[in-house]
Amino acid sequence: CNTSGEGARAVPLAGHVGFDSMPDQLVNKSVNHGFCFNILCVGETGLGKSTLMDTLFNTKFEGEPTQHNQPGVTLKSNTYELQESNVRLKLTVVNTVGFGDQINKEDSYKSIVEFIDAQFEAYLQEELKIKRTLHSYHDTRIHACLYFIAPTGHSLKSLDLVTMKKLDSKVNIIPIVAKSDAISKSELAKFKIKITSELVSNGVQIYQFPTDDESVAEINSTMNSHLPFAVVGSTEEVKIGNKMVKARQYPWGTVQVENENHCDFVKLREMLIRVNMEDLREQTHTRHYELYRRCKLEEMGFKDTDPDSKPFSLQETYEAKRNEFMGELQKKEEEMRQMFVQRVKEKEAELKEAEKELHEKFDRLKKLHQDEKKKLEDKKKSLDDELNMFKQKKTAAELLQNQAQQAGGSTTLKRDKERKK
Amino acid sequence: MSTGEVLVSKADGNGGIMALQKNLEGYVGFANLPNQVYRKSVKRGFEFTLMVVGESGLGKSTLINSLFLTDLYSPEYPGPSHRIKKTVQVEQSKVLVKEGGVHLLLTIVDTPGFGDAVDNSNCWQPVIDYIDSKFEDYLNAESRVNRRLMPDSRVQCCLYFIAPSGHGLKPLDIEFMKRLHEKVNIIPLIAKADTMTPEECQQFKKQIMKEIQEHKIKIYEFPETDDEEEMKMVRKIKDRLPLAVVGSNTIIEVNGKRVRGRQYPWGVAEVENGEHCDFTILRNMLIRTHMQDLKDVTNNVHYENYRSRKLAAVNYNGVDNNKNKGQLTKSPLAQMDEERRDHVSKMKKMEQEMEQVFEMKVKEKLQKLRDSEVELQRRHEQMKKNLEAQHRELEEKRRHHEEEKASWEAQQRILEQQKLDASRTLEKNKKKKIF
C-alpha cells in the first residue's frame, strides 16, 4: 500500500464520505484473522530465558525444564494460543538449548542461523508456489530475537559478539542483560555503556524502536537510550504491602520485577509487546525477509533487467532462466559424452600401438626363421653334393674292381688250371 | 495457577503446527496489537481503485461525484461523458482525499464508449486487457529480485451500470459480466432509478437477479460474519440487490434541509433518501464497511487466479504436458531444482553405463590381442621345432654318410692291400718258376 500520490490531485470533500473507517475495517479483519508472533531466545544455559518468557506472558510455558544433554546447539520451538480480550495471538517461543556449553564454540551460531534461514525459506517457497495460500499461511519467521547477555559486569563475551554479528542482518536483535539482580546499579550503568560501545565498534546492528511515527516517537527514542534492558524474571509472588507482586526474595531484600527502579522488565514488556510488536513483524517482513529473498534469488541467477532494456517481465525471465538451465544440462551431457569419446580414442590408439608392436616382433622372428631355413637349405645342398660325389667315386671304384677282378680272375683260373695238370 | 490447558491442533495452511492453549494470569498487553495496526495503517495511507462501466448517459460520473462528495469531474477535468469517443477507451483519474486523518488515494477507472457503438462486439476487450495489465504489473513488481514499494493499481471493484429499461438484462450486460466476473468484483447497479416506480423497480430487480443466477454470473458476495448485527445488515443488502441508484451534483433545499437531489416539477428525488433509492446502502457498503473486503477478495482470489494461470503457462513451456496436475503446487524454482536433481542422477547412470561399455570393449580388445599373441607364438614355436627336426635329420644323414664313407674307404684300403699282396705273391712265384 503506497500513497505516494504521483499524478494525483488533492480534492476537497463536501461532506462526510466515510472512508475514515478504513483503518477500523482493516483492524477488524486482522482481529478476526488472529495474530502471530515468533520470539527467539538466544543465550547460555542458566540465564533465565524460560523464566523471562513466563514472566512476560504471565503464564507457565514449559512443563519441565529442557534436557541439556545434546551435543551442539539445538533449537526447540513451541507454539501457544493466547487470548486477551478479543485478540487471539499465536505465539511461538524458540529456545536455544546448549548454547555456550561447548568447549569449541566456533560453530555455535550456525544452527541458529540455519533455523532462521529455514523459516525464511519456507515462506519463500510458499510465496513462489503456483497455487499458493499466503493468506492462511502460518508465518514462522522469527520476529524478535532476545539476546541474553550474562551479567558479568565487564564486557560482552566474544561468543556474544560473533553470534550477534551473524544474526543482525537476519533478525531484529534486542539485547538484554539477564539476571540483572546480580549487578549493582552503578556497575550496571557502566556495563550498559560498555556493551553499547562494543556493539557499535563491532558494527552490530541491533533493533531500534522506530521514531518515525509521532504518536510513539518520544517513548521509543527514550527507550532506545535504555538499551540493553537489564531484566529480572520471576513467576514467584511475594506480598509487598497489601499486594502480591512478582518478585525474587533475598535475605537482604526483595527484587520486584515490575518495579522500574529495580529493573527494566516493564520497559521490555512495554516496547516488545505493547508498542512495537507490529513494527517488529513489519521489519522482519520488509527488511530481513526481503534481504534473504534477494540473496537467494540472486544466488539462483535471477536478476532484474537493467534500465535500458525491456522492463521486467516475469514470464520472460522464467523462460530465459529455464532455457539457460536446459542448455546447461545439455552442455553437461555433451561434455561427458565428449570425454568418453576422447577416452575411447586414446585407448584405441594405445591398443593399436600394442598390436603393431606385436606384429613387428613376430615379423622379426619370422625373418630370423627364414634366414635359418636358408642356411639349412644350403647345408642340405652341400651334403647332397657330397653324397653324389661319393656315389660317383664308389661307382667308379667298383667298376675298376670289377674289371680287375675279371682280369685277375682269368689269371687265377689259368693258375688253377696249371696246378691241376 | 494456570489451569485449563487444552491441546489444540490447528490444521493451518502449512501443515498443522500444534499449538497449546494457555491462559494468562494477568494483563500482558498484546491486546494493544490492533491499535498498533491501526496506527501503522493510518501512517501508510490507503488506496482504492474503482472502475465504472456502462453506456453513456447513465449518470456514472454524477454517481461518483455523489459517492465521494466531491467534484471528481469538473469543468477543468471533464468526465468521459463529455468527450466523444469512437472506440472504447479505458481512462483513469487519480485523486487524493483526506478525512479524519485518513488519506485515501482514489483511482477511478472510466470506460467511455462502452456499449455506445452500433456493433458492440468485443467492447469488453479493452476492459479485460486493462484489468489484466494491472494484474501483470503487480505480478512483475512482486516477482522482482529487488522489490521496493509496490504500488497497487489493481482494479478492486467494478460498478456495472444497467440501463433502467424495466425489462431485464441486455445481451451486452450478460456478456460483459460473464467475461469479467472472475477477474474483478462486480457490483451491478440500476442507474437512474428515479425513472421507475418502486413496484417497477422491484420487478426489474427480481428479473435481473433471476437472469444473473441463470447465467451463473458471480457478482460480489458479501462475506459471512459471526456478528449477528452485521449479518442482519448483510441480509438486508442482499435482498435489495441489485442496488438502484440516483446521483446528483446539485444541492437542493427540501423542508429546510440542504440535500443532494434531482428537482422535478412534481418533487425532488433525494439521493440520500433510503425510500427514494439505494444510494445510501451503496455508499455505506462500498466505502464504510466493505472497502477492505473488496481489496482482500481482489488480492486473495482474483489476483491469485490470474497469477496461477500465468505461471502455469510459463512452467509448462517446453515441458511434457502429460505431467500430472499436482505439479501446480510447486514453484517454478522448486521444479527446476527437482529437474536438476533428476538430471544429476540421469547423468550418473549414463556415466556408469558408458563406463561399463568402455570396460567391456577394452577387455574384448585386450583379449583379442592376447589371443593373437598366443597364436603367433605357437606358430613360431612350431616352425622352430620343424626347423630343428630338419636339422637333426640332416645331421643324421651326414653322420650316416660319414660312416658309410669311412667304412667303404676302409674296405677300399683292404682291397688295395689285398691287391698289392696278390701281385707281390705273383711276382714271387714268377721268380721261383724261373729257377
Side-chain angles (χ1 to χ4, degrees), chain A residues 9 14 17 29 60 81 84 274 278 290 293 319 322 401 415, chain B residues 20 22 28 32 36 69 72 99 144 147 296 317 319 415 426:
Chain A
R9 60 187 208 278
V17 178
K29 277 204 168 256
K60 191 101 177 64
E81 294 260 351
E84 197 162 65
R274 296 182 188 180
E278 183 60 23
E290 282 300 311
R293 176 181 177 278
E319 278 178 22
R322 198 200 168 66
Q401 270 189 346
R415 242 198 342 238
Chain B
L20 203 65
K22 289 282 183 185
V28 175
N32 208 31
Q36 298 178 30
L69 295 177
L72 212 83
E99 190 174 67
R144 285 177 70 87
R147 341 186 259 198
D296 287 344
N317 219 350
V319 174
L415 276 173
L426 211 60

PDB file of all heavy atoms in Angstrom, chain A residues 9 14 17 29 60 81 84 274 278 290 293 319 322 401 415, chain B residues 20 22 28 32 36 69 72 99 144 147 296 317 319 415 426:
ATOM      1  N   ARG A   9      -4.292  14.573  -7.823  1.00  0.00           N
ATOM      2  CA  ARG A   9      -4.518  15.913  -7.271  1.00  0.00           C
ATOM      3  C   ARG A   9      -5.413  15.772  -6.038  1.00  0.00           C
ATOM      4  O   ARG A   9      -6.248  14.877  -5.955  1.00  0.00           O
ATOM      5  CB  ARG A   9      -5.174  16.806  -8.316  1.00  0.00           C
ATOM      6  CG  ARG A   9      -6.511  16.306  -8.792  1.00  0.00           C
ATOM      7  CD  ARG A   9      -7.038  17.138  -9.949  1.00  0.00           C
ATOM      8  NE  ARG A   9      -8.482  17.124  -9.976  1.00  0.00           N
ATOM      9  CZ  ARG A   9      -9.230  16.174 -10.500  1.00  0.00           C
ATOM     10  NH1 ARG A   9      -8.657  15.137 -11.053  1.00  0.00           N
ATOM     11  NH2 ARG A   9     -10.554  16.235 -10.471  1.00  0.00           N
ATOM     12  N   ALA A  14     -16.998  17.579   0.176  1.00  0.00           N
ATOM     13  CA  ALA A  14     -18.095  18.465   0.572  1.00  0.00           C
ATOM     14  C   ALA A  14     -18.901  17.902   1.725  1.00  0.00           C
ATOM     15  O   ALA A  14     -19.970  18.390   2.042  1.00  0.00           O
ATOM     16  CB  ALA A  14     -19.001  18.709  -0.634  1.00  0.00           C
ATOM     17  N   VAL A  17     -17.739  11.471   3.814  1.00  0.00           N
ATOM     18  CA  VAL A  17     -17.882  10.346   2.898  1.00  0.00           C
ATOM     19  C   VAL A  17     -17.928   9.038   3.673  1.00  0.00           C
ATOM     20  O   VAL A  17     -18.774   8.190   3.471  1.00  0.00           O
ATOM     21  CB  VAL A  17     -16.717  10.314   1.885  1.00  0.00           C
ATOM     22  CG1 VAL A  17     -16.839   9.113   0.969  1.00  0.00           C
ATOM     23  CG2 VAL A  17     -16.691  11.600   1.080  1.00  0.00           C
ATOM     24  N   LYS A  29     -10.617  -6.916  10.355  1.00  0.00           N
ATOM     25  CA  LYS A  29     -10.224  -8.102   9.609  1.00  0.00           C
ATOM     26  C   LYS A  29      -9.035  -8.788  10.273  1.00  0.00           C
ATOM     27  O   LYS A  29      -8.994 -10.010  10.387  1.00  0.00           O
ATOM     28  CB  LYS A  29      -9.863  -7.724   8.171  1.00  0.00           C
ATOM     29  CG  LYS A  29     -11.079  -7.618   7.326  1.00  0.00           C
ATOM     30  CD  LYS A  29     -10.768  -7.826   5.864  1.00  0.00           C
ATOM     31  CE  LYS A  29     -12.051  -8.006   5.095  1.00  0.00           C
ATOM     32  NZ  LYS A  29     -12.264  -9.414   4.754  1.00  0.00           N
ATOM     33  N   LYS A  60       2.755 -20.107  32.477  1.00  0.00           N
ATOM     34  CA  LYS A  60       3.844 -21.083  32.579  1.00  0.00           C
ATOM     35  C   LYS A  60       3.903 -21.857  31.267  1.00  0.00           C
ATOM     36  O   LYS A  60       2.981 -22.601  30.931  1.00  0.00           O
ATOM     37  CB  LYS A  60       3.555 -22.019  33.772  1.00  0.00           C
ATOM     38  CG  LYS A  60       4.700 -22.906  34.164  1.00  0.00           C
ATOM     39  CD  LYS A  60       5.414 -22.328  35.408  1.00  0.00           C
ATOM     40  CE  LYS A  60       6.542 -23.232  35.895  1.00  0.00           C
ATOM     41  NZ  LYS A  60       7.613 -23.360  34.905  1.00  0.00           N
ATOM     42  N   GLU A  81      -1.405 -20.817  21.903  1.00  0.00           N
ATOM     43  CA  GLU A  81      -2.533 -19.953  21.558  1.00  0.00           C
ATOM     44  C   GLU A  81      -2.865 -19.128  22.792  1.00  0.00           C
ATOM     45  O   GLU A  81      -3.198 -19.685  23.839  1.00  0.00           O
ATOM     46  CB  GLU A  81      -3.753 -20.808  21.210  1.00  0.00           C
ATOM     47  CG  GLU A  81      -3.611 -21.645  19.973  1.00  0.00           C
ATOM     48  CD  GLU A  81      -4.291 -20.996  18.784  1.00  0.00           C
ATOM     49  OE1 GLU A  81      -5.005 -20.000  18.968  1.00  0.00           O
ATOM     50  OE2 GLU A  81      -4.082 -21.495  17.677  1.00  0.00           O
ATOM     51  N   GLU A  84      -6.349 -12.384  24.695  1.00  0.00           N
ATOM     52  CA  GLU A  84      -6.501 -11.278  25.640  1.00  0.00           C
ATOM     53  C   GLU A  84      -7.606 -10.395  25.088  1.00  0.00           C
ATOM     54  O   GLU A  84      -7.485  -9.900  23.960  1.00  0.00           O
ATOM     55  CB  GLU A  84      -5.178 -10.513  25.720  1.00  0.00           C
ATOM     56  CG  GLU A  84      -5.070  -9.626  26.947  1.00  0.00           C
ATOM     57  CD  GLU A  84      -3.635  -9.241  27.212  1.00  0.00           C
ATOM     58  OE1 GLU A  84      -3.071  -8.532  26.366  1.00  0.00           O
ATOM     59  OE2 GLU A  84      -3.085  -9.658  28.255  1.00  0.00           O
ATOM     60  N   ARG A 274       3.662  -4.120  23.908  1.00  0.00           N
ATOM     61  CA  ARG A 274       2.556  -3.163  23.859  1.00  0.00           C
ATOM     62  C   ARG A 274       2.700  -2.086  22.797  1.00  0.00           C
ATOM     63  O   ARG A 274       1.725  -1.510  22.367  1.00  0.00           O
ATOM     64  CB  ARG A 274       2.372  -2.508  25.231  1.00  0.00           C
ATOM     65  CG  ARG A 274       1.971  -3.534  26.263  1.00  0.00           C
ATOM     66  CD  ARG A 274       1.739  -2.927  27.609  1.00  0.00           C
ATOM     67  NE  ARG A 274       1.540  -3.981  28.616  1.00  0.00           N
ATOM     68  CZ  ARG A 274       1.315  -3.771  29.899  1.00  0.00           C
ATOM     69  NH1 ARG A 274       1.292  -2.522  30.356  1.00  0.00           N
ATOM     70  NH2 ARG A 274       1.150  -4.780  30.730  1.00  0.00           N
ATOM     71  N   GLU A 278       3.920  -4.887  16.333  1.00  0.00           N
ATOM     72  CA  GLU A 278       3.580  -4.838  14.915  1.00  0.00           C
ATOM     73  C   GLU A 278       4.760  -4.364  14.079  1.00  0.00           C
ATOM     74  O   GLU A 278       5.003  -4.847  12.981  1.00  0.00           O
ATOM     75  CB  GLU A 278       2.375  -3.916  14.713  1.00  0.00           C
ATOM     76  CG  GLU A 278       1.870  -3.829  13.296  1.00  0.00           C
ATOM     77  CD  GLU A 278       1.407  -5.146  12.720  1.00  0.00           C
ATOM     78  OE1 GLU A 278       1.066  -6.058  13.509  1.00  0.00           O
ATOM     79  OE2 GLU A 278       1.406  -5.292  11.483  1.00  0.00           O
ATOM     80  N   GLU A 290      13.145  -9.703   2.927  1.00  0.00           N
ATOM     81  CA  GLU A 290      13.461  -9.238   1.578  1.00  0.00           C
ATOM     82  C   GLU A 290      14.934  -9.445   1.273  1.00  0.00           C
ATOM     83  O   GLU A 290      15.303  -9.831   0.164  1.00  0.00           O
ATOM     84  CB  GLU A 290      13.115  -7.752   1.405  1.00  0.00           C
ATOM     85  CG  GLU A 290      11.641  -7.483   1.196  1.00  0.00           C
ATOM     86  CD  GLU A 290      11.068  -8.168  -0.034  1.00  0.00           C
ATOM     87  OE1 GLU A 290      11.681  -8.047  -1.114  1.00  0.00           O
ATOM     88  OE2 GLU A 290      10.036  -8.834   0.099  1.00  0.00           O
ATOM     89  N   ARG A 293      15.439 -13.082   0.598  1.00  0.00           N
ATOM     90  CA  ARG A 293      14.857 -13.436  -0.694  1.00  0.00           C
ATOM     91  C   ARG A 293      15.731 -12.954  -1.834  1.00  0.00           C
ATOM     92  O   ARG A 293      16.005 -13.678  -2.791  1.00  0.00           O
ATOM     93  CB  ARG A 293      13.464 -12.825  -0.784  1.00  0.00           C
ATOM     94  CG  ARG A 293      12.791 -13.041  -2.123  1.00  0.00           C
ATOM     95  CD  ARG A 293      11.424 -12.371  -2.140  1.00  0.00           C
ATOM     96  NE  ARG A 293      10.801 -12.505  -3.433  1.00  0.00           N
ATOM     97  CZ  ARG A 293      11.054 -11.722  -4.453  1.00  0.00           C
ATOM     98  NH1 ARG A 293      11.910 -10.734  -4.314  1.00  0.00           N
ATOM     99  NH2 ARG A 293      10.458 -11.923  -5.614  1.00  0.00           N
ATOM    100  N   GLU A 319      11.243 -18.006 -18.509  1.00  0.00           N
ATOM    101  CA  GLU A 319      11.537 -18.768 -19.709  1.00  0.00           C
ATOM    102  C   GLU A 319      13.008 -18.722 -20.020  1.00  0.00           C
ATOM    103  O   GLU A 319      13.618 -19.737 -20.339  1.00  0.00           O
ATOM    104  CB  GLU A 319      10.729 -18.216 -20.896  1.00  0.00           C
ATOM    105  CG  GLU A 319       9.317 -18.741 -20.908  1.00  0.00           C
ATOM    106  CD  GLU A 319       8.497 -18.174 -22.046  1.00  0.00           C
ATOM    107  OE1 GLU A 319       9.100 -17.723 -23.023  1.00  0.00           O
ATOM    108  OE2 GLU A 319       7.269 -18.191 -21.931  1.00  0.00           O
ATOM    109  N   ARG A 322      14.832 -20.855 -17.684  1.00  0.00           N
ATOM    110  CA  ARG A 322      14.600 -22.251 -17.968  1.00  0.00           C
ATOM    111  C   ARG A 322      15.418 -22.696 -19.162  1.00  0.00           C
ATOM    112  O   ARG A 322      16.031 -23.756 -19.138  1.00  0.00           O
ATOM    113  CB  ARG A 322      13.101 -22.445 -18.240  1.00  0.00           C
ATOM    114  CG  ARG A 322      12.768 -23.865 -18.112  1.00  0.00           C
ATOM    115  CD  ARG A 322      11.493 -24.177 -18.821  1.00  0.00           C
ATOM    116  NE  ARG A 322      11.418 -25.592 -18.863  1.00  0.00           N
ATOM    117  CZ  ARG A 322      11.280 -26.346 -17.781  1.00  0.00           C
ATOM    118  NH1 ARG A 322      11.145 -25.759 -16.619  1.00  0.00           N
ATOM    119  NH2 ARG A 322      11.279 -27.644 -17.875  1.00  0.00           N
ATOM    120  N   GLN A 401      87.288-102.231 -59.999  1.00  0.00           N
ATOM    121  CA  GLN A 401      87.426-103.507 -59.291  1.00  0.00           C
ATOM    122  C   GLN A 401      86.898-104.654 -60.137  1.00  0.00           C
ATOM    123  O   GLN A 401      87.520-105.713 -60.243  1.00  0.00           O
ATOM    124  CB  GLN A 401      86.665-103.449 -57.954  1.00  0.00           C
ATOM    125  CG  GLN A 401      87.532-102.954 -56.843  1.00  0.00           C
ATOM    126  CD  GLN A 401      86.832-103.115 -55.520  1.00  0.00           C
ATOM    127  OE1 GLN A 401      85.625-103.360 -55.416  1.00  0.00           O
ATOM    128  NE2 GLN A 401      87.592-103.044 -54.468  1.00  0.00           N
ATOM    129  N   ARG A 415      95.981-120.166 -63.452  1.00  0.00           N
ATOM    130  CA  ARG A 415      96.886-120.817 -62.485  1.00  0.00           C
ATOM    131  C   ARG A 415      96.317-122.079 -61.927  1.00  0.00           C
ATOM    132  O   ARG A 415      96.995-123.097 -61.829  1.00  0.00           O
ATOM    133  CB  ARG A 415      97.176-119.840 -61.381  1.00  0.00           C
ATOM    134  CG  ARG A 415      98.631-119.494 -61.287  1.00  0.00           C
ATOM    135  CD  ARG A 415      99.012-118.887 -59.991  1.00  0.00           C
ATOM    136  NE  ARG A 415      97.936-118.386 -59.261  1.00  0.00           N
ATOM    137  CZ  ARG A 415      97.783-117.138 -58.854  1.00  0.00           C
ATOM    138  NH1 ARG A 415      98.702-116.237 -59.160  1.00  0.00           N
ATOM    139  NH2 ARG A 415      96.795-116.733 -58.179  1.00  0.00           N
TER     140      ARG A 415
ATOM    141  N   LEU B  20      -0.509 -25.063  21.742  1.00  0.00           N
ATOM    142  CA  LEU B  20      -1.047 -25.332  23.064  1.00  0.00           C
ATOM    143  C   LEU B  20      -1.775 -24.088  23.546  1.00  0.00           C
ATOM    144  O   LEU B  20      -1.235 -22.993  23.511  1.00  0.00           O
ATOM    145  CB  LEU B  20       0.128 -25.637  23.995  1.00  0.00           C
ATOM    146  CG  LEU B  20      -0.128 -26.453  25.242  1.00  0.00           C
ATOM    147  CD1 LEU B  20      -0.556 -27.856  24.849  1.00  0.00           C
ATOM    148  CD2 LEU B  20       1.149 -26.536  26.060  1.00  0.00           C
ATOM    149  N   LYS B  22      -3.012 -21.510  26.173  1.00  0.00           N
ATOM    150  CA  LYS B  22      -2.561 -21.119  27.501  1.00  0.00           C
ATOM    151  C   LYS B  22      -3.441 -20.004  28.038  1.00  0.00           C
ATOM    152  O   LYS B  22      -3.845 -19.102  27.285  1.00  0.00           O
ATOM    153  CB  LYS B  22      -1.123 -20.601  27.440  1.00  0.00           C
ATOM    154  CG  LYS B  22      -0.083 -21.670  27.178  1.00  0.00           C
ATOM    155  CD  LYS B  22       0.198 -22.431  28.440  1.00  0.00           C
ATOM    156  CE  LYS B  22       1.281 -23.463  28.230  1.00  0.00           C
ATOM    157  NZ  LYS B  22       1.462 -24.281  29.439  1.00  0.00           N
ATOM    158  N   VAL B  28      -1.089  -8.878  29.834  1.00  0.00           N
ATOM    159  CA  VAL B  28       0.214  -8.883  29.171  1.00  0.00           C
ATOM    160  C   VAL B  28       0.352  -7.629  28.333  1.00  0.00           C
ATOM    161  O   VAL B  28       1.331  -6.908  28.409  1.00  0.00           O
ATOM    162  CB  VAL B  28       0.364 -10.134  28.275  1.00  0.00           C
ATOM    163  CG1 VAL B  28       1.661 -10.072  27.500  1.00  0.00           C
ATOM    164  CG2 VAL B  28       0.308 -11.390  29.119  1.00  0.00           C
ATOM    165  N   ASN B  32      -3.140  -4.735  22.711  1.00  0.00           N
ATOM    166  CA  ASN B  32      -2.875  -3.446  22.090  1.00  0.00           C
ATOM    167  C   ASN B  32      -2.468  -3.575  20.633  1.00  0.00           C
ATOM    168  O   ASN B  32      -2.321  -2.587  19.925  1.00  0.00           O
ATOM    169  CB  ASN B  32      -1.746  -2.744  22.875  1.00  0.00           C
ATOM    170  CG  ASN B  32      -1.851  -1.241  22.784  1.00  0.00           C
ATOM    171  OD1 ASN B  32      -2.945  -0.707  22.676  1.00  0.00           O
ATOM    172  ND2 ASN B  32      -0.713  -0.570  22.807  1.00  0.00           N
ATOM    173  N   GLN B  36      -1.853  -0.869  17.372  1.00  0.00           N
ATOM    174  CA  GLN B  36      -0.601  -0.714  16.633  1.00  0.00           C
ATOM    175  C   GLN B  36      -0.870  -0.834  15.135  1.00  0.00           C
ATOM    176  O   GLN B  36      -0.347  -0.060  14.326  1.00  0.00           O
ATOM    177  CB  GLN B  36       0.422  -1.781  17.068  1.00  0.00           C
ATOM    178  CG  GLN B  36       0.819  -1.703  18.525  1.00  0.00           C
ATOM    179  CD  GLN B  36       1.795  -2.811  18.915  1.00  0.00           C
ATOM    180  OE1 GLN B  36       2.576  -3.270  18.106  1.00  0.00           O
ATOM    181  NE2 GLN B  36       1.748  -3.223  20.167  1.00  0.00           N
ATOM    182  N   LEU B  69     -18.681  12.834  -2.639  1.00  0.00           N
ATOM    183  CA  LEU B  69     -18.990  14.191  -2.231  1.00  0.00           C
ATOM    184  C   LEU B  69     -17.937  15.174  -2.717  1.00  0.00           C
ATOM    185  O   LEU B  69     -17.441  16.019  -1.979  1.00  0.00           O
ATOM    186  CB  LEU B  69     -19.132  14.274  -0.698  1.00  0.00           C
ATOM    187  CG  LEU B  69     -20.327  13.476  -0.165  1.00  0.00           C
ATOM    188  CD1 LEU B  69     -20.375  13.521   1.351  1.00  0.00           C
ATOM    189  CD2 LEU B  69     -21.629  14.018  -0.734  1.00  0.00           C
ATOM    190  N   LEU B  72     -15.158  15.199  -8.709  1.00  0.00           N
ATOM    191  CA  LEU B  72     -14.076  14.467  -9.349  1.00  0.00           C
ATOM    192  C   LEU B  72     -13.977  14.927 -10.796  1.00  0.00           C
ATOM    193  O   LEU B  72     -12.897  15.107 -11.339  1.00  0.00           O
ATOM    194  CB  LEU B  72     -14.384  12.963  -9.306  1.00  0.00           C
ATOM    195  CG  LEU B  72     -13.155  12.086  -9.213  1.00  0.00           C
ATOM    196  CD1 LEU B  72     -12.726  11.993  -7.785  1.00  0.00           C
ATOM    197  CD2 LEU B  72     -13.466  10.711  -9.755  1.00  0.00           C
ATOM    198  N   GLU B  99      -9.755  12.505   5.133  1.00  0.00           N
ATOM    199  CA  GLU B  99     -10.902  12.620   6.030  1.00  0.00           C
ATOM    200  C   GLU B  99     -10.540  12.024   7.375  1.00  0.00           C
ATOM    201  O   GLU B  99     -10.094  10.879   7.444  1.00  0.00           O
ATOM    202  CB  GLU B  99     -12.086  11.854   5.423  1.00  0.00           C
ATOM    203  CG  GLU B  99     -13.404  12.095   6.137  1.00  0.00           C
ATOM    204  CD  GLU B  99     -14.547  11.420   5.397  1.00  0.00           C
ATOM    205  OE1 GLU B  99     -14.572  10.168   5.369  1.00  0.00           O
ATOM    206  OE2 GLU B  99     -15.391  12.130   4.824  1.00  0.00           O
ATOM    207  N   ARG B 144      10.011  -9.272  -8.819  1.00  0.00           N
ATOM    208  CA  ARG B 144      11.346  -8.724  -8.986  1.00  0.00           C
ATOM    209  C   ARG B 144      12.268  -9.259  -7.908  1.00  0.00           C
ATOM    210  O   ARG B 144      11.819  -9.672  -6.846  1.00  0.00           O
ATOM    211  CB  ARG B 144      11.303  -7.205  -8.862  1.00  0.00           C
ATOM    212  CG  ARG B 144      10.728  -6.497 -10.055  1.00  0.00           C
ATOM    213  CD  ARG B 144      10.684  -5.009  -9.768  1.00  0.00           C
ATOM    214  NE  ARG B 144      12.029  -4.461  -9.733  1.00  0.00           N
ATOM    215  CZ  ARG B 144      12.675  -4.029 -10.811  1.00  0.00           C
ATOM    216  NH1 ARG B 144      12.097  -4.091 -11.971  1.00  0.00           N
ATOM    217  NH2 ARG B 144      13.888  -3.545 -10.705  1.00  0.00           N
ATOM    218  N   ARG B 147      12.560  -5.842  -4.671  1.00  0.00           N
ATOM    219  CA  ARG B 147      11.230  -5.255  -4.625  1.00  0.00           C
ATOM    220  C   ARG B 147      11.239  -4.179  -3.579  1.00  0.00           C
ATOM    221  O   ARG B 147      11.697  -4.389  -2.481  1.00  0.00           O
ATOM    222  CB  ARG B 147      10.124  -6.259  -4.242  1.00  0.00           C
ATOM    223  CG  ARG B 147      10.504  -7.688  -4.412  1.00  0.00           C
ATOM    224  CD  ARG B 147       9.311  -8.537  -4.159  1.00  0.00           C
ATOM    225  NE  ARG B 147       9.337  -9.119  -2.843  1.00  0.00           N
ATOM    226  CZ  ARG B 147       8.595 -10.162  -2.511  1.00  0.00           C
ATOM    227  NH1 ARG B 147       7.784 -10.660  -3.409  1.00  0.00           N
ATOM    228  NH2 ARG B 147       8.677 -10.669  -1.313  1.00  0.00           N
ATOM    229  N   ASP B 296      -9.381  -7.233  -0.296  1.00  0.00           N
ATOM    230  CA  ASP B 296      -8.892  -8.564   0.067  1.00  0.00           C
ATOM    231  C   ASP B 296      -9.314  -9.611  -0.947  1.00  0.00           C
ATOM    232  O   ASP B 296      -8.524 -10.472  -1.333  1.00  0.00           O
ATOM    233  CB  ASP B 296      -9.403  -8.952   1.460  1.00  0.00           C
ATOM    234  CG  ASP B 296      -8.699  -8.175   2.552  1.00  0.00           C
ATOM    235  OD1 ASP B 296      -7.641  -7.588   2.268  1.00  0.00           O
ATOM    236  OD2 ASP B 296      -9.213  -8.154   3.684  1.00  0.00           O
ATOM    237  N   ASN B 317       5.955 -24.493 -20.445  1.00  0.00           N
ATOM    238  CA  ASN B 317       6.543 -24.166 -21.727  1.00  0.00           C
ATOM    239  C   ASN B 317       7.664 -25.140 -22.025  1.00  0.00           C
ATOM    240  O   ASN B 317       8.686 -25.135 -21.385  1.00  0.00           O
ATOM    241  CB  ASN B 317       7.099 -22.741 -21.656  1.00  0.00           C
ATOM    242  CG  ASN B 317       6.853 -21.995 -22.935  1.00  0.00           C
ATOM    243  OD1 ASN B 317       6.434 -22.586 -23.911  1.00  0.00           O
ATOM    244  ND2 ASN B 317       7.092 -20.717 -22.906  1.00  0.00           N
ATOM    245  N   VAL B 319       7.720 -28.190 -21.504  1.00  0.00           N
ATOM    246  CA  VAL B 319       7.773 -29.367 -20.631  1.00  0.00           C
ATOM    247  C   VAL B 319       6.636 -30.292 -21.030  1.00  0.00           C
ATOM    248  O   VAL B 319       5.615 -29.849 -21.504  1.00  0.00           O
ATOM    249  CB  VAL B 319       7.621 -28.943 -19.166  1.00  0.00           C
ATOM    250  CG1 VAL B 319       7.533 -30.143 -18.241  1.00  0.00           C
ATOM    251  CG2 VAL B 319       8.811 -28.085 -18.767  1.00  0.00           C
ATOM    252  N   LEU B 415      91.085-103.895 -49.812  1.00  0.00           N
ATOM    253  CA  LEU B 415      91.129-104.426 -51.171  1.00  0.00           C
ATOM    254  C   LEU B 415      92.453-104.043 -51.819  1.00  0.00           C
ATOM    255  O   LEU B 415      93.098-104.879 -52.451  1.00  0.00           O
ATOM    256  CB  LEU B 415      89.984-103.861 -51.993  1.00  0.00           C
ATOM    257  CG  LEU B 415      88.640-104.583 -51.843  1.00  0.00           C
ATOM    258  CD1 LEU B 415      87.526-103.856 -52.566  1.00  0.00           C
ATOM    259  CD2 LEU B 415      88.768-106.006 -52.395  1.00  0.00           C
ATOM    260  N   LEU B 426     102.415-113.082 -56.752  1.00  0.00           N
ATOM    261  CA  LEU B 426     102.561-113.442 -58.139  1.00  0.00           C
ATOM    262  C   LEU B 426     103.989-113.208 -58.600  1.00  0.00           C
ATOM    263  O   LEU B 426     104.592-114.060 -59.269  1.00  0.00           O
ATOM    264  CB  LEU B 426     101.581-112.643 -58.986  1.00  0.00           C
ATOM    265  CG  LEU B 426     101.044-113.299 -60.237  1.00  0.00           C
ATOM    266  CD1 LEU B 426     100.302-114.586 -59.883  1.00  0.00           C
ATOM    267  CD2 LEU B 426     100.179-112.363 -61.048  1.00  0.00           C
TER     268      LEU B 426
END
